[in-house]
């Protein structure tokens, strides 16, 4: 009997330490997992977003977008600043607007819109959320836009601050 107990206790402790393979979060969805973006993955994330946006624009009969380095820089600056402020909004900690930020980086054309998000989700899930919002969808499908900037800042806890800017 003692031998059986000595064998069962470690086995039960091992099982108790295992994570369940089924189940999920309290909302009935699978439990959230942190989406980590490695340095090697960074350019792939950017191009997945550009390709996804251009596929959607093509399906809607809109012209494709091209990355603009200045808009990418403005998006990266704003993503980092939102993290510092710990709130997703269109104004910088210095009071700057999206127009101010694209002018600061020397973008010579017109700003058509800025989309932002604070999430733990992937870029594709974030794009899907933007598409569900009519105002965000209008920005993404703006026929006047020719340029796109897209960047993010990921905090050590995994939270991602996304910024997408359209101009032309």
């Amino acid at each position: 009997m003692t031998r059986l107990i000595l064998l069962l206790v470690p086995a039960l402790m091992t099982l108790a330490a295992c994570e369940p393979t089924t189940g999920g979060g309290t909302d009935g969805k699978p439990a959230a997992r942190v989406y980590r973006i490695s340095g090697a993955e960074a350019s792939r994330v950017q191009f997945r977003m550009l390709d996804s946006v251009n596929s959607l624009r093509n399906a809607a009969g809109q012209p494709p977008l091209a990355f603009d380095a200045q808009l990418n820089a403005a998006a990266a600056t704003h993503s980092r600043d939102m993290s510092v402020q710990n709130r997703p909004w269109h104004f910088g900690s210095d009071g700057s607007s999206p127009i101010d930020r694209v002018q600061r980086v020397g973008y010579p054309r017109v700003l058509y819109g800025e989309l932002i998000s604070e999430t733990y989700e992937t870029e594709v899930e974030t794009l899907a959320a933007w598409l569900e919002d009519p105002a965000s969808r209008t920005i993404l499908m703006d026929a006047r836009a020719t340029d796109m900037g897209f960047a993010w800042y990921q905090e050590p806890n995994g939270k991602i601050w996304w910024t997408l800017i359209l101009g032309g």
Side-chain angles (χ1 to χ4, degrees):
M1 181 70 162
T2 304
R3 178 181 273 175
L4 182 60
I5 291 174
L6 289 174
L7 290 173
L8 285 176
V9 169
L12 291 173
M13 289 176 69
T14 302
L15 285 174
C18 293
E19 291 186 48
T21 57
T22 60
T26 57
D27 60 358
K29 294 180 182 177
R33 291 181 12 170
V34 174
Y35 175 60
R36 292 266 178 215
I37 304 170
S38 69
E41 183 72 6
S43 65
R44 287 189 288 263
V45 168
Q46 272 198 310
F47 282 102
R48 269 196 304 266
M49 180 61 87
L50 180 64
D51 290 345
S52 297
V53 169
N54 280 336
S55 292
L56 293 163
R57 288 175 60 88
N58 182 51
Q62 301 304 339
L65 303 172
F67 270 133
D68 181 271
Q70 292 164 318
L71 292 181
N72 282 342
T77 299
H78 191 56
S79 292
R80 172 74 176 178
D81 192 45
M82 285 189 297
S83 171
V84 169
Q85 296 180 73
N86 197 31
R87 63 178 170 179
W89 75 323
H90 294 283
F91 293 94
S93 57
D94 61 356
S96 62
S97 70
I99 293 171
D100 296 329
R101 287 190 296 278
V102 299
Q103 288 175 345
R104 282 182 190 162
V105 297
Y107 184 70
R109 298 185 184 138
V110 177
L111 169 73
Y112 290 120
E114 177 183 75
L115 303 177
I116 58 172
S117 180
E118 164 198 20
T119 185
Y120 291 89
E121 295 178 330
T122 69
E123 69 281 357
V124 174
E125 291 168 309
T126 301
L127 177 58
W130 285 334
L131 287 168
E132 289 177 12
D133 176 60
S136 296
R137 185 178 186 81
T138 298
I139 291 169
L140 284 167
M141 296 300 148
D142 193 325
R144 301 169 296 172
T146 57
D147 302 323
M148 182 175 116
F150 176 66
W152 63 90
Y153 175 75
Q154 186 164 34
E155 296 179 354
N157 68 4
K159 183 189 291 184
I160 306 170
W161 300 85
W162 300 103
T163 304
L164 186 144
I165 303 172
L166 294 185

